[in-house]
Amino acid sequence: MKLKSLLVIILSVAMLGLADNAEAQRRNKYKKRRKTNKKVSHYKGGIRGYGRFEPYIFVGANVNAGNYFGDLAPVNKAASTDVSFTRPGFGLYGGYKFHHSIAVTAGVNWVRVFGDDFTSDPGSEDGFPRYARNLSFRNDIKEFRVALQLFLLPNYGGPNQRLPFNAYLSLGAAVFHHQPKGKVPEFDYQTEGVNATTAAPQAGEWVNLKPLGTEGQNLGIVEPYKNIEFSLPVAVGAQIRIPNTQLTGGLEFGIRYLFTDYIDDVSTNYVGLDQFDDDLARIMSDRASVPVSSKGEARDLTNLRIINNHGEGHNYYIEGNVGTGIDGSKRGNPDDNDMIFVTQIKVSYVLGSTTRRRAKYR
């Protein structure tokens, strides 16, 4: 009898212990669930989170500032490109973010680039030959670009959970149309010198340079260049999410590595002036004789001298040590292609709902 009573007591204690343990486990599980739901309800997207990535589409517009490096840069260094060369432009683009760290974009851009030998330093060894050459141009670039954006910070979640800030590297390919132009001097200084009074054809106008064949393209000396070319755009950028909107603002700095050296109509050598049948082509091929810049600013002619070229009575200003204008002398450098620098201020709009999804509770 005593043994049965002892067994009953032991079983009762064991049952009470199991009941207490089950209740404790239930309370702990409930606390963990509340803690998890609280985190989820406050999650706004980020490097780590509970949301599943959702692809989204965006469209935008940008304002451009274009600059140029090539044969008409002040000196032969990419960093030497002159701030005064900067010209405005604009563009439209769209994109698809298909991965938490990658987006693909496509867009069209218009940007004007400009160059002028007048900005070179006539007192420096590298700048003086360029200053004496006195060539200038402008070119309106119309570009279609496709690129991948590789983001520094992965962003999980959907369009409503974009990070407040991110940075990216952009790599792509582009096709563009260009047409270099030059401003015709007021007079034919090649034939009459600094005091010329004979008006040049189309004086004061910006004319297309390619049809003129300024380096002998129309004479079979070099191959004509193309108006449609390709480039490799590389850029770095940063973007911010504009609070409580579907807008994103950004700033991008990019370089276009061009597949042409003729963005400025300058690449190889001079052609003898007596070989041109067209007076406009002759004048635009060699502007060392013009006593003013393309903007009408007076040039310093102290170290330039007048020579009689090709026995044709073409007297014009020339730098004696470089041979500007003499048939076959160096006009540009064909070994390196031109480059364009483009800075963009961008605003994009995210398509799709931005309604935040809250965690569900029982």
Side-chain angles (χ1 to χ4, degrees), residues 122-133:
S124 69
E125 182 178 353
D126 193 16
F128 182 65
R130 297 167 185 260
Y131 185 86
R133 183 176 55 184

PDB file of all heavy atoms in Angstrom, residues 122-133:
ATOM      1  N   PRO A 122      50.982  80.227 -75.151  1.00  0.00           N
ATOM      2  CA  PRO A 122      52.022  80.473 -76.161  1.00  0.00           C
ATOM      3  C   PRO A 122      53.428  80.562 -75.564  1.00  0.00           C
ATOM      4  O   PRO A 122      54.422  80.530 -76.297  1.00  0.00           O
ATOM      5  CB  PRO A 122      51.605  81.815 -76.786  1.00  0.00           C
ATOM      6  CG  PRO A 122      50.795  82.488 -75.729  1.00  0.00           C
ATOM      7  CD  PRO A 122      50.094  81.385 -74.994  1.00  0.00           C
ATOM      8  N   GLY A 123      53.503  80.651 -74.240  1.00  0.00           N
ATOM      9  CA  GLY A 123      54.800  80.743 -73.594  1.00  0.00           C
ATOM     10  C   GLY A 123      55.370  79.398 -73.163  1.00  0.00           C
ATOM     11  O   GLY A 123      56.502  79.342 -72.659  1.00  0.00           O
ATOM     12  N   SER A 124      54.626  78.290 -73.379  1.00  0.00           N
ATOM     13  CA  SER A 124      55.116  76.976 -72.981  1.00  0.00           C
ATOM     14  C   SER A 124      55.558  76.181 -74.203  1.00  0.00           C
ATOM     15  O   SER A 124      55.090  76.406 -75.324  1.00  0.00           O
ATOM     16  CB  SER A 124      54.023  76.194 -72.236  1.00  0.00           C
ATOM     17  OG  SER A 124      52.979  75.829 -73.114  1.00  0.00           O
ATOM     18  N   GLU A 125      56.463  75.221 -73.975  1.00  0.00           N
ATOM     19  CA  GLU A 125      57.005  74.428 -75.076  1.00  0.00           C
ATOM     20  C   GLU A 125      55.924  73.577 -75.735  1.00  0.00           C
ATOM     21  O   GLU A 125      55.905  73.416 -76.961  1.00  0.00           O
ATOM     22  CB  GLU A 125      58.126  73.524 -74.544  1.00  0.00           C
ATOM     23  CG  GLU A 125      58.802  72.687 -75.622  1.00  0.00           C
ATOM     24  CD  GLU A 125      59.930  71.834 -75.077  1.00  0.00           C
ATOM     25  OE1 GLU A 125      60.267  71.992 -73.885  1.00  0.00           O
ATOM     26  OE2 GLU A 125      60.475  71.012 -75.834  1.00  0.00           O
ATOM     27  N   ASP A 126      55.025  73.017 -74.918  1.00  0.00           N
ATOM     28  CA  ASP A 126      53.967  72.163 -75.455  1.00  0.00           C
ATOM     29  C   ASP A 126      52.809  72.979 -76.018  1.00  0.00           C
ATOM     30  O   ASP A 126      52.166  72.604 -77.001  1.00  0.00           O
ATOM     31  CB  ASP A 126      53.461  71.228 -74.354  1.00  0.00           C
ATOM     32  CG  ASP A 126      52.598  70.094 -74.899  1.00  0.00           C
ATOM     33  OD1 ASP A 126      52.650  69.856 -76.118  1.00  0.00           O
ATOM     34  OD2 ASP A 126      51.889  69.454 -74.113  1.00  0.00           O
ATOM     35  N   GLY A 127      52.528  74.128 -75.397  1.00  0.00           N
ATOM     36  CA  GLY A 127      51.375  74.922 -75.798  1.00  0.00           C
ATOM     37  C   GLY A 127      51.598  75.807 -77.006  1.00  0.00           C
ATOM     38  O   GLY A 127      50.654  76.100 -77.748  1.00  0.00           O
ATOM     39  N   PHE A 128      52.862  76.222 -77.244  1.00  0.00           N
ATOM     40  CA  PHE A 128      53.121  77.180 -78.321  1.00  0.00           C
ATOM     41  C   PHE A 128      52.755  76.655 -79.714  1.00  0.00           C
ATOM     42  O   PHE A 128      52.114  77.363 -80.498  1.00  0.00           O
ATOM     43  CB  PHE A 128      54.578  77.624 -78.297  1.00  0.00           C
ATOM     44  CG  PHE A 128      54.902  78.646 -79.351  1.00  0.00           C
ATOM     45  CD1 PHE A 128      54.327  79.906 -79.309  1.00  0.00           C
ATOM     46  CD2 PHE A 128      55.748  78.334 -80.393  1.00  0.00           C
ATOM     47  CE1 PHE A 128      54.612  80.841 -80.284  1.00  0.00           C
ATOM     48  CE2 PHE A 128      56.033  79.267 -81.377  1.00  0.00           C
ATOM     49  CZ  PHE A 128      55.463  80.523 -81.321  1.00  0.00           C
ATOM     50  N   PRO A 129      53.126  75.421 -80.091  1.00  0.00           N
ATOM     51  CA  PRO A 129      52.727  74.931 -81.421  1.00  0.00           C
ATOM     52  C   PRO A 129      51.216  74.875 -81.597  1.00  0.00           C
ATOM     53  O   PRO A 129      50.706  75.124 -82.697  1.00  0.00           O
ATOM     54  CB  PRO A 129      53.341  73.525 -81.485  1.00  0.00           C
ATOM     55  CG  PRO A 129      54.440  73.536 -80.486  1.00  0.00           C
ATOM     56  CD  PRO A 129      53.983  74.435 -79.390  1.00  0.00           C
ATOM     57  N   ARG A 130      50.490  74.565 -80.547  1.00  0.00           N
ATOM     58  CA  ARG A 130      49.035  74.521 -80.627  1.00  0.00           C
ATOM     59  C   ARG A 130      48.468  75.930 -80.782  1.00  0.00           C
ATOM     60  O   ARG A 130      47.532  76.164 -81.557  1.00  0.00           O
ATOM     61  CB  ARG A 130      48.461  73.843 -79.369  1.00  0.00           C
ATOM     62  CG  ARG A 130      48.885  72.393 -79.226  1.00  0.00           C
ATOM     63  CD  ARG A 130      48.566  71.852 -77.827  1.00  0.00           C
ATOM     64  NE  ARG A 130      49.098  70.501 -77.688  1.00  0.00           N
ATOM     65  CZ  ARG A 130      48.374  69.390 -77.808  1.00  0.00           C
ATOM     66  NH1 ARG A 130      47.080  69.468 -78.062  1.00  0.00           N
ATOM     67  NH2 ARG A 130      48.929  68.202 -77.685  1.00  0.00           N
ATOM     68  N   TYR A 131      49.022  76.851 -80.014  1.00  0.00           N
ATOM     69  CA  TYR A 131      48.580  78.241 -80.128  1.00  0.00           C
ATOM     70  C   TYR A 131      48.822  78.769 -81.543  1.00  0.00           C
ATOM     71  O   TYR A 131      47.969  79.466 -82.113  1.00  0.00           O
ATOM     72  CB  TYR A 131      49.323  79.088 -79.107  1.00  0.00           C
ATOM     73  CG  TYR A 131      48.874  80.533 -79.046  1.00  0.00           C
ATOM     74  CD1 TYR A 131      47.784  80.891 -78.242  1.00  0.00           C
ATOM     75  CD2 TYR A 131      49.522  81.529 -79.767  1.00  0.00           C
ATOM     76  CE1 TYR A 131      47.354  82.222 -78.183  1.00  0.00           C
ATOM     77  CE2 TYR A 131      49.108  82.846 -79.710  1.00  0.00           C
ATOM     78  CZ  TYR A 131      48.021  83.181 -78.919  1.00  0.00           C
ATOM     79  OH  TYR A 131      47.599  84.492 -78.866  1.00  0.00           O
ATOM     80  N   ALA A 132      49.973  78.430 -82.113  1.00  0.00           N
ATOM     81  CA  ALA A 132      50.294  78.875 -83.474  1.00  0.00           C
ATOM     82  C   ALA A 132      49.349  78.246 -84.498  1.00  0.00           C
ATOM     83  O   ALA A 132      48.982  78.885 -85.492  1.00  0.00           O
ATOM     84  CB  ALA A 132      51.739  78.516 -83.808  1.00  0.00           C
ATOM     85  N   ARG A 133      48.948  77.010 -84.291  1.00  0.00           N
ATOM     86  CA  ARG A 133      48.063  76.298 -85.221  1.00  0.00           C
ATOM     87  C   ARG A 133      46.697  76.978 -85.331  1.00  0.00           C
ATOM     88  O   ARG A 133      46.095  77.027 -86.408  1.00  0.00           O
ATOM     89  CB  ARG A 133      47.904  74.856 -84.735  1.00  0.00           C
ATOM     90  CG  ARG A 133      47.083  73.963 -85.623  1.00  0.00           C
ATOM     91  CD  ARG A 133      47.079  72.536 -85.070  1.00  0.00           C
ATOM     92  NE  ARG A 133      46.622  72.479 -83.675  1.00  0.00           N
ATOM     93  CZ  ARG A 133      46.600  71.381 -82.941  1.00  0.00           C
ATOM     94  NH1 ARG A 133      47.031  70.233 -83.453  1.00  0.00           N
ATOM     95  NH2 ARG A 133      46.177  71.413 -81.694  1.00  0.00           N
TER      96      ARG A 133
END
